[in-house]
Each structure stands twice: as C-alpha cells, then as structure tokens.
Amino acid sequence: MKKLVLIAHRGFSAIAPENTLAAFSAAIAAPIFRYTGGIGALEFDLQLSADGIPVIIHDPTLDRTTNGRGLVQAKSLAQLKQFSAGSWFGSQFTEEKIPTFQEALDLLKPTTLQVYAEVKQADLWNSTHIDDFVRTILSQNWQKRCFVASFNDSFLQKVALRSPEIVLGFYPTTLDDYSQKLQQATNRGNAVLLCEYHLLLEHPTLIEATYQEGVDLVAWTVDNPADLQQLVALGVNQIVTNSLLDLTLFS
C-alpha cells in the first residue's frame, strides 16, 4: 500500500487563519508531518496584486479573510500589507499579513514538504506575470516540490510551454469532464488530477482508471475521518484536509 500523503488545505486552517504564514507554520509543526519525517504538502491560493506580485489569498476580494475591503487585484502589495489577514480568526493572529508567494517558499524551503500552488483568476496573468512566476520556481529549484494547479487549462498550458519540469495540477469538476482532464494529464506526462472527493466516492472506477494511466490523484477537501479511511481503502493516498493533521487519528 502506498504511503498516505496529507496536504494541508490553505495551511493548517483548522487552527490558524487560512493562507497565512501562521497556518503554514502550524502545518509544518503538525504531528503527522513530524511523525512521517516531513512527508506531506501544503496547498495555498495565488492572486495577483495590482503591481503584479503573486500573493496568497483565496477570494478575489479582501472582505472575508482580512479587515480590508475591495478587490485584491486593485491594490498594490504595499497596500495589501496594511491589512490584517488573521484578526477575523482570532485576536492572537492580528499581526498576520497576506503573504507573498516568495515568503511562503522562503518559510518552506528548510522543510521537505511539497507545495500545491493554485492560481486563481488566471486570466489576469499576462505573459510577463507567468514568465516571472515560472522563473521564480525554476531559479530557486522548486520545480520538483511546487505543483502548479488551476481550474484554467489555458493558464496551465502556458506554464507547460515555459517549463516541462513543473508538475501541473488539473481539476476535473464533473463526471463528464473527468476523462478530458485525465487525457490532458496523461498527455502532459508530468501532471496530477485534483478531484473533489465525493465524486471519487460516487464513482470509484475513476480511481483505477487514473492510476492505470500512470497519473497521480489528489482528493480534496476531506475533514471526515471515515471518508478519509474509505478513500484510502479505494487506493487514494493523497488527501487534502483542513483538520486531519493529528497523529492520533492514524495511531
């Protein structure tokens, strides 16, 4: 049986504000990652600031996870750094700021954890943005540890043209488009599928079909231990979770 690989969704977002360095630090220190010797990963979301810097925040607006208002893309990095990205979660996180992609890489560099960087609003990324993004990954030797994922297949194709080394993550969203995304991943030869886990539980033949093509499969976002155990029994070993990073669940 393949080793279970847990992927911390937006960091350890059950105990710290999502998509912050605090949540990433909490994931690094999580019992399961320490027990497995650092086998695991972090997932986070990327948006562009007004001055073209990749920053880590899920929503296109600031309203839900910061004390700011308005569109992320309408504010410079300096403006974004003025907001608290943690006070909504708890007063102890008031000083947490919206991190940049580079800040996350710097934090994670000493670890062995992999990274799933999901690019949001990919249509806003022009050629220069994509060039800089790919250059950052390659120049700092992250191509084997940083998977670039997006629901925007055109964006992924642009990344692929710039680097065959970077692993891409395709998102099948329905049963109808699963075969198409699997074919894209197979053709790429350096890609994974990231699938909402209920679709896999409802159609377990998708799991076998994916592995038969030599494509890795990631199930998201699983916070029910019973669902996790069922997925593992079906052969899925890479699981995105907000909360299941406690070793006691697996001992």
Side-chain angles (χ1 to χ4, degrees):
M1 180 178 291
K2 294 177 288 188
K3 289 183 178 179
L4 177 63
V5 177
L6 293 184
I7 302 164
H9 186 234
R10 306 177 195 172
F12 199 165
S13 53
I15 65 171
E18 66 177 60
N19 280 328
T20 63
L21 296 184
F24 302 158
S25 295
I28 291 168
I32 188 67
F33 291 156
R34 287 189 282 111
Y35 176 77
T36 59
I39 296 174
L42 285 172
E43 183 270 353
F44 52 68
D45 306 286
L46 290 179
Q47 312 264 0
L48 283 179
S49 67
D51 42 353
I53 306 300
V55 295
I56 300 176
I57 184 171
H58 178 271
D59 298 355
T61 63
L62 296 159
D63 303 42
R64 181 176 65 87
T65 58
T66 80
N67 60 352
R69 296 291 181 270
L71 294 171
V72 174
Q73 68 185 63
K75 302 192 184 298
S76 68
L77 178 61
Q79 290 173 314
L80 292 173
K81 286 294 188 180
Q82 295 176 4
F83 305 121
S84 169
S87 56
W88 66 275
F89 193 91
S91 59
Q92 70 271 38
F93 298 110
T94 298
E95 297 304 313
E96 285 299 312
K97 305 300 183 183
I98 298 171
T100 65
F101 179 53
Q102 185 62 63
E103 287 170 339
L105 295 185
D106 290 343
L107 177 68
L108 291 161
K109 186 175 182 179
T111 78
T112 56
L113 297 178
Q114 294 181 316
V115 168
Y116 284 81
E118 182 187 333
V119 175
K120 300 288 191 182
Q121 301 196 96
D123 287 339
L124 299 177
W125 294 58
N126 62 31
S127 293
T128 299
H129 297 142
I130 301 173
D131 286 342
D132 290 344
F133 179 52
V134 170
R135 189 179 302 113
T136 295
I137 294 171
L138 296 179
S139 66
Q140 299 177 41
N141 202 31
W142 271 93
Q143 61 269 25
K144 300 302 182 185
R145 289 179 61 191
C146 182
F147 297 17
V148 175
S150 180
F151 285 89
N152 187 312
D153 292 350
S154 175
F155 175 85
L156 293 179
Q157 178 62 24
K158 292 171 184 175
V159 172
L161 290 173
R162 287 163 171 82
S163 171
E165 299 175 89
I166 295 175
V167 184
L168 303 182
F170 293 91
Y171 283 96
T173 54
T174 65
L175 183 60
D176 288 341
D177 79 343
Y178 197 99
S179 295
Q180 178 185 351
K181 294 297 172 66
L182 177 56
Q183 189 62 55
Q184 288 175 287
T186 303
N187 292 343
R188 165 68 172 171
N190 195 23
V192 301
L193 290 188
L194 299 104
C195 186
E196 200 283 322
Y197 82 94
H198 289 100
L199 185 64
L200 298 175
L201 292 182
E202 292 166 8
H203 305 282
T205 56
L206 296 175
I207 299 169
E208 183 180 0
T210 304
Y211 290 138
Q212 283 182 343
E213 291 294 335
V215 174
D216 279 340
L217 180 61
V218 177
W220 56 271
T221 299
V222 186
D223 289 320
N224 182 308
D227 289 339
L228 183 145
Q229 297 295 348
Q230 187 175 355
L231 286 163
V232 170
L234 290 169
V236 181
N237 73 309
Q238 299 188 72
I239 309 286
V240 179
T241 181
N242 294 299
S243 59
L244 301 181
L245 300 177
D246 188 339
L247 180 61
T248 59
L249 289 168
F250 309 98
S251 58

